[in-house]
Amino acid sequence: MCLRLLGHVPTDLGGGIIRIAWLKETFDELPLSASPQTTEQFARAYALSLMGGVLFSDRSGGSVHLHYLLLVEDWCRAGRFAWGAAVLSYLYREMGRSACR
């Protein structure tokens, strides 16, 4: 799935977790002569780092689960998701978990 959607596979893909640092290193700068497929791969990597680092961040702080990659497989479908509701729901769930500790 990583190879198909990102064009690269991290060497330390343990438990379906991708390090955000790897995403930033691998997809640092889009080449000027990039093909449309490469541009989509870079956009997916950027979206994945946003999901893991900002929108759906957790205690790990530096990684994102691979299942989020499937959400940006098809850009037309991803545009129909209720991202705000999903982020708010995730935030409330994490706040509840933190309060119970």
Side-chain angles (χ1 to χ4, degrees):
M1 180 171 54
C2 280
L3 186 59
R4 183 172 54 87
L5 297 177
L6 295 175
H8 300 279
V9 178
T11 57
D12 58 346
L13 187 63
I17 303 294
I18 298 176
R19 290 183 311 109
I20 294 175
W22 177 83
L23 287 169
K24 290 181 179 179
E25 292 166 7
T26 308
F27 300 95
D28 181 40
E29 190 173 326
L30 180 66
L32 292 175
S33 61
S35 68
Q37 180 183 10
T38 302
T39 304
E40 278 195 32
Q41 292 168 342
F42 270 71
R44 283 188 191 104
Y46 180 72
L48 197 58
S49 66
L50 273 179
M51 286 182 218
V54 178
L55 301 176
F56 304 108
S57 60
D58 58 10
R59 288 180 290 170
S60 71
S63 60
V64 60
H65 199 277
L66 193 58
H67 70 262
Y68 289 118
L69 185 56
L70 291 174
L71 297 175
V72 291
E73 179 177 13
D74 179 6
W75 291 110
C76 293
R77 196 180 98 220
R80 293 191 300 262
F81 293 152
W83 290 102
V87 170
L88 191 59
S89 172
Y90 183 83
L91 174 67
Y92 282 129
R93 185 181 76 187
E94 291 301 308
M95 285 173 52
R97 286 180 179 174
S98 294
C100 291
R101 285 187 202 131

